[in-house]
Each structure stands twice: as C-alpha cells, then as structure tokens.
Amino acid sequence: MTRSFLFPALPYAQCPVKCYASIRSTVWKRFSPVVSPSRRHYTRKRTTPTFSAGTGPHESKEKTKQQRIDELIQERRSRPRRLFSPGKLILYSIFGYIGYRFYNWQTNPRRSVTLNPNFFTPFILSSKEPISPSSTVFNLLSVPKGQNTDIVSEAWRTGVWSVQVMQPDLQIARSYTPLPPVEGTPNELVRLFVRKELQGEVSGFLHRISPGTLVHLRGPHLEYNIPDNVDEVLFLAGGTGIAPALQVAYTLFAARPAGGGQLPRIRILWANRRMEDSRAGLKPSDVQQFPAKLASRIRNAVFSEGVGTPVITKSLDEATTTMEDVKQNPLVEEVEQLVMKFAGNVTVEYFVDEEESFITENLLRSHLIYDSSKENPSSSIAIPQKKLLLIAGPDGFVNYYAGPKRWQGGKEVQGPLGGMLLKVNPQDWEIWKL
C-alpha cells in the first residue's frame, strides 16, 4: 500500500475494525479544526457538576460570574494606559472649550464696569455737541453711573491723560484726550473733542452713532505727569490739540489743591486750518496786520535797553471785544471763559491757516525770551521753578515744530528735538511732545 499524507502507515491493515478506527481518528485530527469548528461542541466531555455541602447550582453560577468580572477588571488594569484615548480626547476638548469661553467672558468689554488700562469699559453716549461742521464734542457717562468718579478725579490731578475708544465692528482703537469737565456736570463725565477724518474709522463711528449708544473706553493712559513746581507753560496747540492744553490749565488751577502760592502762567498758541474751528468775528485786516507787527516786537524785545522787560503781546481778542453780537462755537466760549476766570495767568492767541496767520519762528522767539518773573515778583526763589514747552496736535503739526516721535522697544518715545524749535533752541525749557 502506498503511503500518503492522509494515511501515513496503517499498522492494523489486516484487521478491518482497527483499520476503520485508525482512519477515523486520523481524519478528525487533521480536518476537525478547519472543516467543522462547530463540531467541537459535540465532542466536549459532559461532566456533572458536584456541589459541596451548603452550596447549590445557583450559587455556583454567581461565583463563576463574579470570577469573570474580576478577571475582566484585572485584565483592564494590566493593559498599558494610553494618554490620548478617544474618551480622553473628548474630555480634553470639553475642558478646552470651557476654558476658551471663560477667557472670552473674562476679557469681554461688557464685563468691566470701572475704567482701567487693561480692558474696555462700557460708557453711554449721553449727548453730542457740534463744534463745527467737521468736529464734535461727545459726552460719555459710565454704566452704571458713579463707578468712575474716583478714577477720573485722580487722573485729572496727575496731568495730561488719554483714553482709547474702540470701534466695535473692526475691533480697532484710537486714543483721544478728554476735555476738562464744566461746572454742573458729573466729575466722571468724559468729554471727547473729535474731528471727523476722511478715512478715520473710529472718528467716523463716533459721528455716526446717536445718544444712548454704548461706547467702550480703555484707560486712563498718562501722557505727561505735570510737576508741582511749574512756573510757566507755553503750549503750541494744533486743532484738537487744544484739549491737552485745557487739561494742563485745569490740572494746575482746579484739580490740584491750592497751596497758597503764586499761580503759574499759561500761554496757549492755538492754530486751526479753517476759520469755523477758531474764534469767529476776526477781521481779515486784523489777522493780516498781526504778523506784520512781529518784527517791531522782536526788535523792542532784543535791542531795547531793558532786555528783560516783558513783551506786551497784542492778542487777537482785541479786534473783537466790541463785537458782542458774534456767536462763538461752544469750545471757543469755553476757552474764553477760562481766560476771563484766570485773567493775567492765562492768555490764548488764535491762528488760522485760511487767513494766512501762522505761528512763526519770530513769534516763538518772542514768547521764549519772555521773563515772567517781572510780573510775578512774589514768586519764591528758593524753590527752582520749571518752564514747560508742550506741543500737541496732528502728527504733521508736531513734526513741523518739534520733530517726529520715534518707536523704540515697541513704545513711542519722544525722539530728538527737531523742526522749528531746533532752530530757536530754547534754553531752560523742558520740551515735551504730546
């Protein structure tokens, strides 16, 4: 007989019974796992369960189930833990979303109710006061009222400060210098003098909204800390730069407690592009003749026998003292009230580009060589006094008279002195660009 893989050797070929049993065993061993796995169920040896005393079949099944549970628990504990399993990823995502929502809530402009330099605070626009066709004063109150009285009052005692206004659609901000409060208004009132620019997003937003709209502010940001020992201030203001000039006057005359000494002297040279932004009622002849008299004033100041004598400046106000019927814009009226209230300590001169009236180099020299000690002989000599020369206005105005500012380390710094003041070279004056 030939040998094959199915029947390797049949030692019992002579006996039919043994030969059948051997073939059946060989076939089952080779093909039962592959051909018919389900037949294993029929080949299992059935055993009768035995029970010890005090046990039954139900208790044996419960024990087996508990054992299986323990085995599953042990098997899961023995598995290596994965850091980013699907369940953990879902949990991490939920925690991340909750943290993101909490951060947005914390930085939400509507959450803060007190004015601070870090987050935007909601203010409500109470009223709008037109100054000219291109400029308006916006009166803002905090929400709820009375939350920022101490913060604003402290800012007024410090010096020149500003706030940032947010444009909600584009999420951009611009800084504006508030005007001083007027009598009969809350101390926390923030008054912004804003000129509407052609491509100004923030100024356009302010001019579009109506009273009752929420405006978000951030600040106060200190621009310049006015020292206490100030004796004289010369302020060059261009357009909206009159706001920080009025801030300086309010801080020195009203916000800080009076010490009983001599009040400082403030001279403001306010230049505007159009006549509608300046004092109304100025005659063109008066404006044209005023620069022509500068030469004689300079000669009298420099070549006269009394070099230290004060230069008597002819203010443009003299041309309109008899024109009581001329109505001024509200901001000019506010400036004139300041001049009348502190007569002798505050003077304002107006200049208009349309009338070809400018702040010239000779005019600056006449103001810088002016000695106020002749008018204030009672000023204390023991305490050294300071003279401040401040410049505020559009970038072109500041660059022309004092040179541009510079960016250093992500911050805007003063930069070197340039422009017209570099030619004049004022001595003993502290110069600051706002």
Side-chain angles (χ1 to χ4, degrees):
M1 181 176 292
T2 305
R3 298 182 54 158
S4 64
F5 79 97
L6 185 60
F7 309 106
L10 300 177
Y12 306 104
Q14 295 81 6
C15 180
V17 179
K18 292 183 179 181
C19 181
Y20 171 76
S22 178
I23 292 172
R24 183 175 180 274
S25 176
T26 302
V27 171
W28 174 256
K29 288 179 181 180
R30 288 189 178 273
F31 294 96
S32 59
V34 178
V35 177
S36 180
S38 62
R39 295 191 61 182
R40 296 179 185 179
H41 174 73
Y42 301 102
T43 59
R44 292 178 183 174
K45 184 178 180 180
R46 296 185 179 182
T47 57
T48 304
T50 58
F51 308 101
S52 59
T55 62
H58 300 287
E59 296 175 353
S60 177
K61 291 180 181 179
E62 292 293 335
K63 184 178 180 181
T64 305
K65 184 178 179 181
Q66 185 64 32
Q67 290 178 353
R68 290 178 61 188
I69 293 174
D70 295 341
E71 290 176 359
L72 290 174
I73 294 175
Q74 188 65 26
E75 182 181 357
R76 291 193 175 185
R77 288 180 178 176
S78 61
R79 292 178 184 174
R81 295 184 178 182
R82 290 180 294 181
L83 184 61
F84 296 103
S85 61
K88 290 183 178 180
L89 287 176
I90 295 174
L91 188 63
Y92 295 158
S93 301
I94 293 174
F95 282 127
Y97 178 76
I98 294 175
Y100 172 75
R101 296 291 295 180
F102 178 76
Y103 174 78
N104 284 345
W105 173 82
Q106 189 179 20
T107 58
N108 188 4
R110 298 180 181 273
R111 189 183 69 86
S112 179
V113 295
T114 57
L115 191 63
N116 63 90
N118 299 322
F119 302 106
F120 284 96
T121 306
F123 278 68
I124 188 170
L125 179 61
S126 60
S127 62
K128 299 168 63 174
E129 191 175 1
I131 301 299
S132 68
S134 60
S135 58
T136 306
V137 172
F138 299 88
N139 299 317
L140 303 170
L141 288 173
S142 59
V143 180
K145 295 181 180 180
Q147 296 291 329
N148 299 290
T149 302
D150 297 337
I151 298 174
V152 174
S153 300
E154 180 62 27
W156 284 120
R157 288 189 292 268
T158 304
V160 182
W161 58 283
S162 64
V163 294
Q164 288 183 329
V165 181
M166 183 180 65
Q167 209 275 14
D169 297 331
L170 301 178
Q171 296 293 311
I172 58 177
R174 192 184 186 281
S175 297
Y176 292 99
T177 305
L179 290 171
V182 295
E183 296 182 2
T185 59
N187 293 333
E188 66 170 358
L189 181 69
V190 177
R191 304 170 63 228
L192 301 180
F193 178 38
V194 182
R195 187 185 305 278
K196 186 177 181 180
E197 302 293 340
L198 182 59
Q199 297 180 350
E201 298 293 343
V202 180
S203 63
F205 160 74
L206 290 174
H207 281 82
R208 287 194 305 268
I209 61 177
S210 57
T213 307
L214 288 181
V215 179
H216 294 92
L217 307 181
R218 181 171 60 186
H221 300 285
L222 183 63
E223 302 290 340
Y224 180 72
N225 189 355
I226 302 176
D228 294 330
N229 57 337
V230 176
D231 182 64
E232 191 171 355
V233 177
L234 177 61
F235 206 110
L236 307 183
T240 56
I242 190 63
L246 296 179
Q247 275 196 356
V248 173
Y250 183 82
T251 300
L252 294 177
F253 296 151
R256 291 181 178 177
Q262 185 71 28
L263 292 177
R265 176 179 171 83
I266 300 178
R267 289 172 289 165
I268 301 175
L269 309 182
W270 185 16
N272 287 283
R273 297 177 182 175
R274 292 176 290 273
M275 196 68 185
E276 60 192 15
D277 296 322
S278 183
R279 181 186 174 98
L282 292 177
K283 296 180 181 180
S285 58
D286 296 331
V287 179
Q288 297 293 340
Q289 292 174 6
F290 180 70
K293 297 181 180 180
L294 292 177
S296 61
R297 291 167 53 198
I298 297 298
R299 286 194 299 268
N300 294 334
V302 177
F303 299 105
S304 61
E305 295 180 357
V307 178
T309 57
V311 177
I312 302 175
T313 306
K314 178 182 181 299
S315 175
L316 296 184
D317 300 342
E318 297 178 6
T320 58
T321 52
T322 60
M323 302 181 63
E324 299 177 355
D325 57 336
V326 178
K327 182 175 177 57
Q328 309 292 341
N329 68 56
L331 188 57
V332 173
E333 290 182 356
E334 185 175 338
V335 173
E336 292 298 319
Q337 290 177 3
L338 177 66
V339 175
M340 294 177 60
K341 184 177 181 180
F342 299 97
N345 294 97
V346 179
T347 58
V348 179
E349 297 184 18
Y350 300 85
F351 303 87
V352 182
D353 293 353
E354 289 181 346
E355 304 294 338
E356 297 184 357
S357 173
F358 308 102
I359 304 175
T360 62
E361 181 178 345
N362 292 333
L363 178 64
L364 283 179
R365 291 183 184 274
S366 66
H367 280 285
L368 292 174
I369 65 176
Y370 174 78
D371 189 5
S372 63
S373 61
K374 299 295 182 179
E375 288 189 1
N376 300 328
S378 61
S379 59
S380 177
I381 304 177
I383 302 176
Q385 303 296 318
K386 276 192 175 183
K387 296 181 179 182
L388 301 181
L389 176 55
L390 307 178
I391 308 98
D395 293 338
F397 182 85
V398 176
N399 297 345
Y400 179 78
Y401 286 101
K405 294 183 180 180
R406 289 186 178 180
W407 287 92
Q408 182 177 358
K411 296 182 179 180
E412 192 177 27
V413 297
Q414 288 292 298
L417 182 64
M420 186 181 293
L421 288 177
L422 181 61
K423 300 178 182 180
V424 176
N425 191 20
Q427 301 293 329
D428 302 328
W429 286 82
E430 180 180 343
I431 304 174
W432 194 265
K433 311 170 193 177
L434 296 172

